[in-house]
Amino acid sequence: MSKLEIHQFPCLSDNYGVLIHNAQDNLTASIDAPDAAAIMAALDAKGWSLTHILTTHHHHDHTGGNAALKSATGCTIVGPAAEAARIPGIDVQVGEGDAYAFGSATAKVIETPGHTAGHITYWFPEDKVAFVGDTVFALGCGRLFEGDAKLMWQSLSKIVALPPETALYCGHEYTLSNAEFALTVEPENEALQARTEEIRQLRADGQPTLPTTLARELETNPFLRPSSPAIRKRLAMEGREDWEIFGEVRARKDRG
Ligand code: ZN
Ligand code: FE
């Protein structure tokens, strides 16, 4: 049974704020805290009271609002044990395999290091939704600030193994530039061509391209497709390991 109502809104320059509301237990969590004022305004608009922040990683554009929101609301801050020292106001530390009870809605914690060393994903299997922070973006993935390609590929492999119908909420609206890059890696991918047209239209209309679904990403996101024969051929890397293909795609994006 689905329990969560989800409200996504743009904030800062290209971040998304996301509120999740468990009406049955009258709980509301902010996924990360990019901007306290924007999150307070969104809470007001929905008539919800903040009870939790679920932190994915320590970067300032994901934790900058922690202190102000905690002092305004007394909310409980949940975050990754592996980088707890860098999460302002953290109350509850979680790690791989933990089940965090957001009232009657359970988040399964998946460690997805690579963008940062302690990055985590919150997966709500009953609601078929995962909050992936800066690990996966629509048609992209996070930069490898605190991990290498092999580690990040292990993390992405855990996301890839979720049910394909899972909705993915990501930290940033980077989709259009990701699409332009993706087309250089796999131009013959017709699903990617069609999706790029949709993305252009959505952005021209000022609409978000997120959330996405895992099924869509598996068809079109070059960072999740290292086994694609077309990608392997284009990179001249047939016969190499998936993580090596992933690493080359990431390196090309970084150079681009
Ligand atoms: Zn980040
Ligand atoms: Fe970020």
Side-chain angles (χ1 to χ4, degrees), residues 15 57 61-62 134 172:
N15 281 76
H57 68 293
D61 62 308
H62 299 258
D134 288 358
H172 296 266

Side-chain angles (χ1 to χ4, degrees), residues 1-6 22 24-25 99-108 122-131 162-163 165-167:
M1 195 189 81
S2 178
K3 297 194 176 75
L4 300 175
E5 189 182 330
I6 302 176
N22 175 346
Q24 191 179 317
D25 304 307
Y100 183 75
F102 179 57
S104 53
T106 300
K108 295 214 172 147
Y122 297 90
W123 174 41
F124 288 80
E126 271 194 68
D127 288 85
K128 301 179 173 24
V129 59
F131 301 97
L162 297 177
E165 66 271 24
T166 305

Side-chain angles (χ1 to χ4, degrees), residues 138-139 172-180 195 199 209-210:
L139 297 177
H172 296 266
E173 177 65 59
Y174 292 154
T175 314
L176 185 53
S177 65
N178 286 344
E180 281 157 6
R195 189 177 178 192
I199 288 161
T209 63
L210 291 159

Side-chain angles (χ1 to χ4, degrees), residues 4-256:
L4 300 175
E5 189 182 330
I6 302 176
H7 175 58
Q8 175 185 264
F9 51 96
C11 60
L12 302 179
S13 59
D14 53 30
N15 281 76
Y16 280 113
V18 177
L19 297 175
I20 65 174
H21 182 65
N22 175 346
Q24 191 179 317
D25 304 307
N26 197 25
L27 299 174
T28 304
S30 180
I31 306 299
D32 290 325
D35 178 347
I39 291 164
M40 291 302 286
L43 287 160
D44 269 0
K46 299 299 285 184
W48 295 342
S49 301
L50 191 70
T51 56
H52 294 76
I53 297 171
L54 304 183
T55 305
T56 62
H57 68 293
H58 70 78
H59 284 159
H60 187 73
D61 62 308
H62 299 258
T63 57
N66 279 17
L69 288 169
K70 190 170 182 174
S71 71
T73 67
C75 64
T76 297
I77 301 180
V78 181
E83 55 190 44
R86 303 178 77 175
I87 311 294
I90 190 167
D91 298 297
V92 180
Q93 301 184 21
V94 294
E96 181 74 16
D98 285 350
Y100 183 75
F102 179 57
S104 53
T106 300
K108 295 214 172 147
V109 176
I110 305 170
E111 291 186 350
T112 49
H115 177 69
T116 66
H119 193 299
I120 58 175
T121 287
Y122 297 90
W123 174 41
F124 288 80
E126 271 194 68
D127 288 85
K128 301 179 173 24
V129 59
F131 301 97
V132 298
D134 288 358
T135 294
V136 181
F137 298 121
L139 297 177
C141 78
R143 283 180 182 263
L144 308 184
F145 289 121
E146 299 178 12
D148 60 16
K150 198 168 192 177
L151 180 71
M152 185 64 149
W153 177 246
Q154 285 169 9
S155 296
L156 293 174
S157 297
K158 297 181 191 175
I159 304 297
V160 162
L162 297 177
E165 66 271 24
T166 305
L168 303 180
Y169 283 80
C170 314
H172 296 266
E173 177 65 59
Y174 292 154
T175 314
L176 185 53
S177 65
N178 286 344
E180 281 157 6
F181 171 74
L183 283 169
T184 69
V185 178
E186 200 177 19
E188 54 279 280
N189 182 330
E190 290 177 9
L192 173 60
Q193 295 164 13
R195 189 177 178 192
T196 300
E197 271 322 298
E198 263 178 63
I199 288 161
R200 288 207 174 100
Q201 195 59 56
L202 283 167
R203 295 311 291 156
D205 296 342
Q207 297 297 313
T209 63
L210 291 159
T212 180
T213 65
L214 178 57
R216 267 197 130 187
E217 296 310 313
L218 291 173
E219 276 189 346
T220 53
N221 184 331
F223 297 94
L224 302 185
R225 295 173 57 74
S227 58
S228 155
I231 292 178
R232 288 174 161 255
K233 187 153 185 255
R234 178 152 292 97
L235 302 184
M237 290 179 75
E238 285 127 317
R240 305 282 284 277
E241 301 287 328
D242 282 349
W243 72 266
E244 296 177 288
I245 311 288
F246 163 74
E248 176 59 21
V249 175
R250 184 64 257 178
R252 288 183 181 216
K253 177 77 160 69
D254 291 343
R255 286 196 298 268

